[in-house]
Amino acid sequence: MCGSSVKYTHLLRSAFLLVFAILLGAVVASRATDAPKRVLVLHAYNYTFPATTIASEAARRRLLEGSQHAIEIEADFLDLARMPGEEHATRTANFLREKYSKMHFDLVLVVGTEGVPFIIKYRDVVGAGVPVVFVGGSAANYAAMQLPPDITGIMSGFDLDKMLELAERLQPNATRLVVMGGSGRADRGWQQATREAIEHRKRKFERAFRFDLTYDAMLAEVSRLPSDTIVLLLSVYADSAGRPLIPRDVAVAVAKASTAPVYAPFGTYLGTGIVGGYVETYESMGIAAGDMALEILSGKDPATLPPRINPGQAFRVDATAMKRFGLKQGNLPPDSIVMFREPGVWDEHRNLVLATLFVVGLQSLFLAGLLFQWHRRRQAELSLRESEERMTFTAASANIGLWQFNRATDELWATQHCRVLFGLARDTPLTRDTFLAAVHPDDRRIAVNALRGILPGERPAVTDLRVVLPAGQERWIRVRARAYRDGLGTSDQLSGIFVDITEQKSAAAEAELQRQEVTHLMRVSVLGELSGAIAHEVNQPLTAILSNAQAALYLLAQDIPDLAQVNEALQDIVKEDNRAGEVVRRLRALLKKGEPKSEPVNINELINMTIALLRNELISRRVTMEIDLADQLPAMTGDPIQLQQVLLNLIMNAMDAMASMPAAARCVTISTRANRARAIEVYVRDRGPGLKPTTGHKLFEPFYTTKDHGLGLGLAICSTIVQAHGGQINLANDEAGGARAAFWLPAQEDLMAAQ
Amino acid sequence: MADTPRWIAIVDDDPSVLNALARLLRTRGLVAHTFPSARDFLAALAGGLPECLIVDLQMPEIDGLELLRRLTLSGVRIPTIVITAHNEADARERSAVVGAFTFLAKPLQDTSLLAAIDGARKSARTPGCRSSNNDDEN
């Protein structure tokens, strides 16, 4: 005891010296090399895999704490388990090359076993010449891989033998052993090693190996085992049906379903309900990898650092799981770490404590109580802080800021990532007012009202705000907030998240703008087709004006001007000028770009206006027009220009359809009627050859066309416009021959109800 | 023959244009008769031929060129000025093909119109004016 404490003092002293030296070194170094060290973290899987998440987070913390340089970390998920196959790997490698083409890294940290073959294979593409530190996998995984000298890392020391020892000690009477594992690539690596480990044990069991089950079959199997069975659960990245799975989630389900104790060689499974194993925590893996990365970043040649086995392994068991299966802590191997002790432990030892209480007295009890409380609180605080940090980091990687706010006191807690989202400087305090100051002035009232109006128990309130960044650009932030009652019964406590939705917002705005643009362009192009007809419409009144004016001028030049004639000519000029103005006004309305409007619309009037525009086109194409408009149509609102575009398109289509018919047969019939469902129906019929049966609904798809010179957008746009008005459009063959386009628009219901 | 009334026919489906052109010609002392369609003009032909015909290219039912074609087919020759508000590239050629005397785009300058009328009337007095043998229907 005494010797070891001397050793400790010595160690402490050297540690202090070392820290001092590092600090000193850091000062010198930070002057020498101000350039930050860049680390690329590649997660072999995605964020749903706790093992890699925990390990990478521990490594990240270690790097940031321990480095004498500023550290910049970029991170990506390779997602190799859920997206197997070479195609995905190549695509991902190319993506990374593109993404980081302008960035130099000092180190690549690969988290997760499957990341190692990936980085070896794509070394030329991702992180060429950059040392690699990996985390995860066992020595057996890497034996066959022939790691290049600048790839090193921390390996798991999975000890199947010790796991079996634990199981045998805890279940001295067990006779059956069931080994269960997945069918994925990473899963198969465990099978042989496990078989061998079992062979080497002295105690023999009736064995069953289950590596070929579906997920459901696994759960069914463990749910009917006798309780004196030992269940070993290996990794399950995929089941026999090829369904990708998250091993820890499988462990949760298996442990819950199992009627016998489950053991596993993985630290991630602890806390899922399995009894335990000889395992390490992934946090210790991450810390060891962080240490190794620090060595390399400070200049050590990776070739001199061979892969190491993580030293942090131990017998770890779950007290709750042991209790569930009636396993005795007395049977545990020495130095076992018992985790997840419940407050119930206190009950177990109550008698002992009561006895001690009598002996030691009240003061001791008080002290013991205090100590116990202190321990519990410290544990709770530690795990709270850890889970908070983990959550904060995960949220930040998803570009989400978390916050809590008390409406009564204006107290605000927010994660550091909120700073980034709101463009707040490092030294700005995070208060309600600093956040509000970053919000766009026009949106501040919305922000304040939103927070004020939330009631507890309601669904989260969602508000989108613009934030003005220091450089002046705007960013859209979505605020989701929820109120809940605190201990005092008031509901002033709010919590929520900030999410950057600038991209969605601009994509939506862009799409709407493009839609308007295309609609407008189609109108312009239809009118372009009609340009001759339109020139005619304007030229006719101009002709009358010019001839009248010249006649009047001539009359006035006479010795005795016939003023009555001059007067008539001038009257006609005024009339014709108005007529020309009307044509131009109609055209301008159609050519105008703008947001859709909603105003009272008289569909019959629109039809007449459209036909007026088309009059000359009808004549030159030798098409007659029959019009049958209903007198009493219900009122409706809409965008007159858009609706006129629909009419224009449908009539032009009808004319196009009859181009090959003899002139006498070319007739377009347009009719309206009110139907009983308070809707206005409009029909445009032609007497062309009709629709081919195959074209059917495709006609309304963008870029589908049956015409030689068509863009195939006309009907798609008509359909969009009619649907935006709450109606529907369809195209069918008419019983009388030819095609019939029909659309209906809903009447304005409020108005009808009010009348 | 000297007592043959000298008059000019104007055929256009647009009443405003019809009135304006007639007014313009009358101020210059020309006699103008107006017809709102080719059919109306053809029906009136039995009463005598005009010295000159001004006809709109685009009209419903029988358009200007069709009218000229029919006249040619019936052996009736009237020097014709084709006018159009729809100034298509090939309108001038198509008019020439069916034997029009000349072609004018609307709006019409009084000087060009009067010069064209003048030219048309002179050509009527000169026998053997051009004819067409090429019927180019599209």
Side-chain angles (χ1 to χ4, degrees), chain A residues 608-633:
Chain A
N608 285 325
M609 276 168 70
T610 310
I611 293 169
L613 266 178
L614 285 168
R615 196 187 72 95
N616 199 254
E617 186 72 9
L618 289 163
I619 291 171
S620 69
R621 294 218 213 172
R622 295 163 171 259
V623 175
T624 54
M625 184 117 213
E626 278 174 14
I627 302 164
D628 175 20
L629 304 179
D631 290 335
Q632 298 271 305
L633 286 179

PDB file of all heavy atoms in Angstrom, chain A residues 608-633:
ATOM      1  N   ASN A 608     -64.943  35.352 -74.159  1.00  0.00           N
ATOM      2  CA  ASN A 608     -65.135  36.319 -75.240  1.00  0.00           C
ATOM      3  C   ASN A 608     -63.864  37.103 -75.541  1.00  0.00           C
ATOM      4  O   ASN A 608     -63.540  37.352 -76.708  1.00  0.00           O
ATOM      5  CB  ASN A 608     -66.284  37.274 -74.892  1.00  0.00           C
ATOM      6  CG  ASN A 608     -67.633  36.582 -75.050  1.00  0.00           C
ATOM      7  OD1 ASN A 608     -67.791  35.742 -75.947  1.00  0.00           O
ATOM      8  ND2 ASN A 608     -68.588  36.897 -74.183  1.00  0.00           N
ATOM      9  N   MET A 609     -63.137  37.476 -74.482  1.00  0.00           N
ATOM     10  CA  MET A 609     -61.894  38.208 -74.691  1.00  0.00           C
ATOM     11  C   MET A 609     -60.866  37.351 -75.433  1.00  0.00           C
ATOM     12  O   MET A 609     -60.136  37.824 -76.306  1.00  0.00           O
ATOM     13  CB  MET A 609     -61.295  38.630 -73.339  1.00  0.00           C
ATOM     14  CG  MET A 609     -61.893  39.918 -72.798  1.00  0.00           C
ATOM     15  SD  MET A 609     -61.412  40.179 -71.090  1.00  0.00           S
ATOM     16  CE  MET A 609     -59.684  40.541 -71.292  1.00  0.00           C
ATOM     17  N   THR A 610     -60.830  36.089 -75.060  1.00  0.00           N
ATOM     18  CA  THR A 610     -59.854  35.196 -75.687  1.00  0.00           C
ATOM     19  C   THR A 610     -60.184  34.999 -77.159  1.00  0.00           C
ATOM     20  O   THR A 610     -59.294  35.009 -78.014  1.00  0.00           O
ATOM     21  CB  THR A 610     -59.859  33.836 -74.958  1.00  0.00           C
ATOM     22  OG1 THR A 610     -59.753  34.083 -73.566  1.00  0.00           O
ATOM     23  CG2 THR A 610     -58.707  32.974 -75.401  1.00  0.00           C
ATOM     24  N   ILE A 611     -61.460  34.846 -77.438  1.00  0.00           N
ATOM     25  CA  ILE A 611     -61.860  34.649 -78.837  1.00  0.00           C
ATOM     26  C   ILE A 611     -61.554  35.905 -79.643  1.00  0.00           C
ATOM     27  O   ILE A 611     -61.129  35.837 -80.798  1.00  0.00           O
ATOM     28  CB  ILE A 611     -63.346  34.258 -78.918  1.00  0.00           C
ATOM     29  CG1 ILE A 611     -63.515  32.874 -78.291  1.00  0.00           C
ATOM     30  CG2 ILE A 611     -63.832  34.241 -80.367  1.00  0.00           C
ATOM     31  CD1 ILE A 611     -64.945  32.485 -78.075  1.00  0.00           C
ATOM     32  N   ALA A 612     -61.728  37.076 -79.002  1.00  0.00           N
ATOM     33  CA  ALA A 612     -61.407  38.326 -79.693  1.00  0.00           C
ATOM     34  C   ALA A 612     -59.937  38.342 -80.101  1.00  0.00           C
ATOM     35  O   ALA A 612     -59.583  38.755 -81.205  1.00  0.00           O
ATOM     36  CB  ALA A 612     -61.724  39.517 -78.788  1.00  0.00           C
ATOM     37  N   LEU A 613     -59.077  37.866 -79.177  1.00  0.00           N
ATOM     38  CA  LEU A 613     -57.655  37.814 -79.500  1.00  0.00           C
ATOM     39  C   LEU A 613     -57.382  36.848 -80.648  1.00  0.00           C
ATOM     40  O   LEU A 613     -56.456  37.019 -81.423  1.00  0.00           O
ATOM     41  CB  LEU A 613     -56.865  37.345 -78.273  1.00  0.00           C
ATOM     42  CG  LEU A 613     -56.278  38.414 -77.365  1.00  0.00           C
ATOM     43  CD1 LEU A 613     -55.586  37.760 -76.195  1.00  0.00           C
ATOM     44  CD2 LEU A 613     -55.286  39.276 -78.129  1.00  0.00           C
ATOM     45  N   LEU A 614     -58.193  35.803 -80.688  1.00  0.00           N
ATOM     46  CA  LEU A 614     -57.930  34.730 -81.646  1.00  0.00           C
ATOM     47  C   LEU A 614     -58.669  34.916 -82.961  1.00  0.00           C
ATOM     48  O   LEU A 614     -58.517  34.126 -83.880  1.00  0.00           O
ATOM     49  CB  LEU A 614     -58.360  33.383 -81.041  1.00  0.00           C
ATOM     50  CG  LEU A 614     -57.418  32.819 -79.981  1.00  0.00           C
ATOM     51  CD1 LEU A 614     -58.100  31.666 -79.266  1.00  0.00           C
ATOM     52  CD2 LEU A 614     -56.122  32.335 -80.619  1.00  0.00           C
ATOM     53  N   ARG A 615     -59.496  35.970 -83.022  1.00  0.00           N
ATOM     54  CA  ARG A 615     -60.390  36.118 -84.162  1.00  0.00           C
ATOM     55  C   ARG A 615     -59.676  35.917 -85.508  1.00  0.00           C
ATOM     56  O   ARG A 615     -60.067  35.135 -86.343  1.00  0.00           O
ATOM     57  CB  ARG A 615     -61.032  37.508 -84.127  1.00  0.00           C
ATOM     58  CG  ARG A 615     -62.253  37.658 -85.005  1.00  0.00           C
ATOM     59  CD  ARG A 615     -62.700  39.108 -85.016  1.00  0.00           C
ATOM     60  NE  ARG A 615     -61.774  39.911 -85.791  1.00  0.00           N
ATOM     61  CZ  ARG A 615     -61.946  40.209 -87.068  1.00  0.00           C
ATOM     62  NH1 ARG A 615     -63.014  39.788 -87.691  1.00  0.00           N
ATOM     63  NH2 ARG A 615     -61.067  40.910 -87.714  1.00  0.00           N
ATOM     64  N   ASN A 616     -58.565  36.638 -85.645  1.00  0.00           N
ATOM     65  CA  ASN A 616     -57.890  36.574 -86.934  1.00  0.00           C
ATOM     66  C   ASN A 616     -57.222  35.240 -87.188  1.00  0.00           C
ATOM     67  O   ASN A 616     -57.164  34.746 -88.312  1.00  0.00           O
ATOM     68  CB  ASN A 616     -56.869  37.685 -87.019  1.00  0.00           C
ATOM     69  CG  ASN A 616     -56.508  37.929 -88.455  1.00  0.00           C
ATOM     70  OD1 ASN A 616     -55.441  37.553 -88.883  1.00  0.00           O
ATOM     71  ND2 ASN A 616     -57.451  38.477 -89.217  1.00  0.00           N
ATOM     72  N   GLU A 617     -56.722  34.640 -86.094  1.00  0.00           N
ATOM     73  CA  GLU A 617     -56.101  33.324 -86.228  1.00  0.00           C
ATOM     74  C   GLU A 617     -57.145  32.312 -86.719  1.00  0.00           C
ATOM     75  O   GLU A 617     -56.866  31.470 -87.563  1.00  0.00           O
ATOM     76  CB  GLU A 617     -55.527  32.900 -84.862  1.00  0.00           C
ATOM     77  CG  GLU A 617     -54.725  31.614 -84.876  1.00  0.00           C
ATOM     78  CD  GLU A 617     -53.373  31.768 -85.554  1.00  0.00           C
ATOM     79  OE1 GLU A 617     -52.997  32.918 -85.855  1.00  0.00           O
ATOM     80  OE2 GLU A 617     -52.720  30.748 -85.798  1.00  0.00           O
ATOM     81  N   LEU A 618     -58.368  32.444 -86.176  1.00  0.00           N
ATOM     82  CA  LEU A 618     -59.451  31.550 -86.591  1.00  0.00           C
ATOM     83  C   LEU A 618     -59.734  31.729 -88.079  1.00  0.00           C
ATOM     84  O   LEU A 618     -59.912  30.759 -88.812  1.00  0.00           O
ATOM     85  CB  LEU A 618     -60.724  31.851 -85.787  1.00  0.00           C
ATOM     86  CG  LEU A 618     -60.684  31.431 -84.312  1.00  0.00           C
ATOM     87  CD1 LEU A 618     -61.781  32.139 -83.537  1.00  0.00           C
ATOM     88  CD2 LEU A 618     -60.850  29.918 -84.203  1.00  0.00           C
ATOM     89  N   ILE A 619     -59.737  32.997 -88.491  1.00  0.00           N
ATOM     90  CA  ILE A 619     -60.030  33.266 -89.900  1.00  0.00           C
ATOM     91  C   ILE A 619     -58.942  32.684 -90.781  1.00  0.00           C
ATOM     92  O   ILE A 619     -59.205  31.968 -91.747  1.00  0.00           O
ATOM     93  CB  ILE A 619     -60.170  34.780 -90.126  1.00  0.00           C
ATOM     94  CG1 ILE A 619     -61.442  35.277 -89.447  1.00  0.00           C
ATOM     95  CG2 ILE A 619     -60.191  35.095 -91.617  1.00  0.00           C
ATOM     96  CD1 ILE A 619     -61.568  36.784 -89.428  1.00  0.00           C
ATOM     97  N   SER A 620     -57.682  32.971 -90.433  1.00  0.00           N
ATOM     98  CA  SER A 620     -56.628  32.535 -91.337  1.00  0.00           C
ATOM     99  C   SER A 620     -56.472  31.023 -91.330  1.00  0.00           C
ATOM    100  O   SER A 620     -55.994  30.447 -92.286  1.00  0.00           O
ATOM    101  CB  SER A 620     -55.316  33.238 -91.018  1.00  0.00           C
ATOM    102  OG  SER A 620     -54.834  32.791 -89.788  1.00  0.00           O
ATOM    103  N   ARG A 621     -56.883  30.370 -90.245  1.00  0.00           N
ATOM    104  CA  ARG A 621     -56.812  28.910 -90.258  1.00  0.00           C
ATOM    105  C   ARG A 621     -58.133  28.304 -90.729  1.00  0.00           C
ATOM    106  O   ARG A 621     -58.324  27.095 -90.688  1.00  0.00           O
ATOM    107  CB  ARG A 621     -56.514  28.401 -88.855  1.00  0.00           C
ATOM    108  CG  ARG A 621     -55.151  28.801 -88.359  1.00  0.00           C
ATOM    109  CD  ARG A 621     -54.599  27.661 -87.574  1.00  0.00           C
ATOM    110  NE  ARG A 621     -53.758  28.096 -86.481  1.00  0.00           N
ATOM    111  CZ  ARG A 621     -53.294  27.260 -85.575  1.00  0.00           C
ATOM    112  NH1 ARG A 621     -53.637  25.987 -85.616  1.00  0.00           N
ATOM    113  NH2 ARG A 621     -52.512  27.683 -84.637  1.00  0.00           N
ATOM    114  N   ARG A 622     -59.045  29.175 -91.120  1.00  0.00           N
ATOM    115  CA  ARG A 622     -60.342  28.740 -91.616  1.00  0.00           C
ATOM    116  C   ARG A 622     -61.050  27.827 -90.625  1.00  0.00           C
ATOM    117  O   ARG A 622     -61.531  26.744 -90.947  1.00  0.00           O
ATOM    118  CB  ARG A 622     -60.172  28.000 -92.948  1.00  0.00           C
ATOM    119  CG  ARG A 622     -59.661  28.942 -93.989  1.00  0.00           C
ATOM    120  CD  ARG A 622     -59.117  28.185 -95.142  1.00  0.00           C
ATOM    121  NE  ARG A 622     -58.833  29.119 -96.224  1.00  0.00           N
ATOM    122  CZ  ARG A 622     -59.637  29.285 -97.273  1.00  0.00           C
ATOM    123  NH1 ARG A 622     -60.726  28.593 -97.398  1.00  0.00           N
ATOM    124  NH2 ARG A 622     -59.315  30.138 -98.203  1.00  0.00           N
ATOM    125  N   VAL A 623     -61.073  28.295 -89.398  1.00  0.00           N
ATOM    126  CA  VAL A 623     -61.760  27.554 -88.355  1.00  0.00           C
ATOM    127  C   VAL A 623     -62.952  28.384 -87.909  1.00  0.00           C
ATOM    128  O   VAL A 623     -62.815  29.578 -87.645  1.00  0.00           O
ATOM    129  CB  VAL A 623     -60.826  27.306 -87.154  1.00  0.00           C
ATOM    130  CG1 VAL A 623     -61.576  26.639 -86.012  1.00  0.00           C
ATOM    131  CG2 VAL A 623     -59.630  26.463 -87.572  1.00  0.00           C
ATOM    132  N   THR A 624     -64.125  27.765 -87.875  1.00  0.00           N
ATOM    133  CA  THR A 624     -65.276  28.499 -87.340  1.00  0.00           C
ATOM    134  C   THR A 624     -65.401  28.174 -85.866  1.00  0.00           C
ATOM    135  O   THR A 624     -64.882  27.180 -85.379  1.00  0.00           O
ATOM    136  CB  THR A 624     -66.585  28.113 -88.052  1.00  0.00           C
ATOM    137  OG1 THR A 624     -66.713  26.699 -87.971  1.00  0.00           O
ATOM    138  CG2 THR A 624     -66.564  28.562 -89.490  1.00  0.00           C
ATOM    139  N   MET A 625     -66.105  29.041 -85.184  1.00  0.00           N
ATOM    140  CA  MET A 625     -66.199  28.885 -83.742  1.00  0.00           C
ATOM    141  C   MET A 625     -67.659  28.926 -83.353  1.00  0.00           C
ATOM    142  O   MET A 625     -68.394  29.828 -83.771  1.00  0.00           O
ATOM    143  CB  MET A 625     -65.457  30.073 -83.132  1.00  0.00           C
ATOM    144  CG  MET A 625     -65.384  30.013 -81.661  1.00  0.00           C
ATOM    145  SD  MET A 625     -63.651  29.896 -81.213  1.00  0.00           S
ATOM    146  CE  MET A 625     -63.779  28.912 -79.791  1.00  0.00           C
ATOM    147  N   GLU A 626     -68.066  27.932 -82.569  1.00  0.00           N
ATOM    148  CA  GLU A 626     -69.433  27.966 -82.041  1.00  0.00           C
ATOM    149  C   GLU A 626     -69.339  28.228 -80.552  1.00  0.00           C
ATOM    150  O   GLU A 626     -68.541  27.591 -79.854  1.00  0.00           O
ATOM    151  CB  GLU A 626     -70.124  26.625 -82.296  1.00  0.00           C
ATOM    152  CG  GLU A 626     -70.669  26.527 -83.698  1.00  0.00           C
ATOM    153  CD  GLU A 626     -71.221  25.141 -83.991  1.00  0.00           C
ATOM    154  OE1 GLU A 626     -71.417  24.362 -83.023  1.00  0.00           O
ATOM    155  OE2 GLU A 626     -71.433  24.843 -85.171  1.00  0.00           O
ATOM    156  N   ILE A 627     -70.147  29.160 -80.082  1.00  0.00           N
ATOM    157  CA  ILE A 627     -70.056  29.552 -78.679  1.00  0.00           C
ATOM    158  C   ILE A 627     -71.398  29.340 -78.024  1.00  0.00           C
ATOM    159  O   ILE A 627     -72.434  29.745 -78.551  1.00  0.00           O
ATOM    160  CB  ILE A 627     -69.636  31.026 -78.563  1.00  0.00           C
ATOM    161  CG1 ILE A 627     -68.299  31.209 -79.267  1.00  0.00           C
ATOM    162  CG2 ILE A 627     -69.496  31.453 -77.112  1.00  0.00           C
ATOM    163  CD1 ILE A 627     -67.970  32.644 -79.543  1.00  0.00           C
ATOM    164  N   ASP A 628     -71.398  28.679 -76.896  1.00  0.00           N
ATOM    165  CA  ASP A 628     -72.645  28.396 -76.197  1.00  0.00           C
ATOM    166  C   ASP A 628     -72.379  28.622 -74.701  1.00  0.00           C
ATOM    167  O   ASP A 628     -71.952  27.721 -73.987  1.00  0.00           O
ATOM    168  CB  ASP A 628     -73.054  26.943 -76.484  1.00  0.00           C
ATOM    169  CG  ASP A 628     -74.285  26.550 -75.690  1.00  0.00           C
ATOM    170  OD1 ASP A 628     -75.014  27.463 -75.245  1.00  0.00           O
ATOM    171  OD2 ASP A 628     -74.503  25.336 -75.502  1.00  0.00           O
ATOM    172  N   LEU A 629     -72.603  29.861 -74.270  1.00  0.00           N
ATOM    173  CA  LEU A 629     -72.262  30.204 -72.896  1.00  0.00           C
ATOM    174  C   LEU A 629     -73.513  30.261 -72.027  1.00  0.00           C
ATOM    175  O   LEU A 629     -74.524  30.832 -72.423  1.00  0.00           O
ATOM    176  CB  LEU A 629     -71.538  31.552 -72.852  1.00  0.00           C
ATOM    177  CG  LEU A 629     -70.277  31.631 -73.720  1.00  0.00           C
ATOM    178  CD1 LEU A 629     -69.656  33.012 -73.622  1.00  0.00           C
ATOM    179  CD2 LEU A 629     -69.268  30.563 -73.323  1.00  0.00           C
ATOM    180  N   ALA A 630     -73.423  29.679 -70.831  1.00  0.00           N
ATOM    181  CA  ALA A 630     -74.572  29.667 -69.916  1.00  0.00           C
ATOM    182  C   ALA A 630     -74.775  31.061 -69.347  1.00  0.00           C
ATOM    183  O   ALA A 630     -73.824  31.785 -69.078  1.00  0.00           O
ATOM    184  CB  ALA A 630     -74.320  28.668 -68.794  1.00  0.00           C
ATOM    185  N   ASP A 631     -76.046  31.439 -69.163  1.00  0.00           N
ATOM    186  CA  ASP A 631     -76.350  32.790 -68.691  1.00  0.00           C
ATOM    187  C   ASP A 631     -75.988  32.978 -67.229  1.00  0.00           C
ATOM    188  O   ASP A 631     -75.360  33.942 -66.839  1.00  0.00           O
ATOM    189  CB  ASP A 631     -77.852  33.082 -68.861  1.00  0.00           C
ATOM    190  CG  ASP A 631     -78.188  33.213 -70.336  1.00  0.00           C
ATOM    191  OD1 ASP A 631     -77.264  33.553 -71.092  1.00  0.00           O
ATOM    192  OD2 ASP A 631     -79.339  32.936 -70.703  1.00  0.00           O
ATOM    193  N   GLN A 632     -76.436  32.029 -66.426  1.00  0.00           N
ATOM    194  CA  GLN A 632     -76.320  32.226 -64.981  1.00  0.00           C
ATOM    195  C   GLN A 632     -75.204  31.352 -64.411  1.00  0.00           C
ATOM    196  O   GLN A 632     -75.443  30.248 -63.964  1.00  0.00           O
ATOM    197  CB  GLN A 632     -77.639  31.855 -64.316  1.00  0.00           C
ATOM    198  CG  GLN A 632     -78.806  32.708 -64.757  1.00  0.00           C
ATOM    199  CD  GLN A 632     -78.957  33.943 -63.892  1.00  0.00           C
ATOM    200  OE1 GLN A 632     -79.052  33.842 -62.686  1.00  0.00           O
ATOM    201  NE2 GLN A 632     -78.937  35.113 -64.507  1.00  0.00           N
ATOM    202  N   LEU A 633     -74.004  31.894 -64.426  1.00  0.00           N
ATOM    203  CA  LEU A 633     -72.914  31.126 -63.829  1.00  0.00           C
ATOM    204  C   LEU A 633     -72.677  31.635 -62.414  1.00  0.00           C
ATOM    205  O   LEU A 633     -72.751  32.839 -62.165  1.00  0.00           O
ATOM    206  CB  LEU A 633     -71.640  31.297 -64.648  1.00  0.00           C
ATOM    207  CG  LEU A 633     -71.594  30.554 -65.980  1.00  0.00           C
ATOM    208  CD1 LEU A 633     -70.280  30.828 -66.684  1.00  0.00           C
ATOM    209  CD2 LEU A 633     -71.790  29.063 -65.778  1.00  0.00           C
TER     210      LEU A 633
END
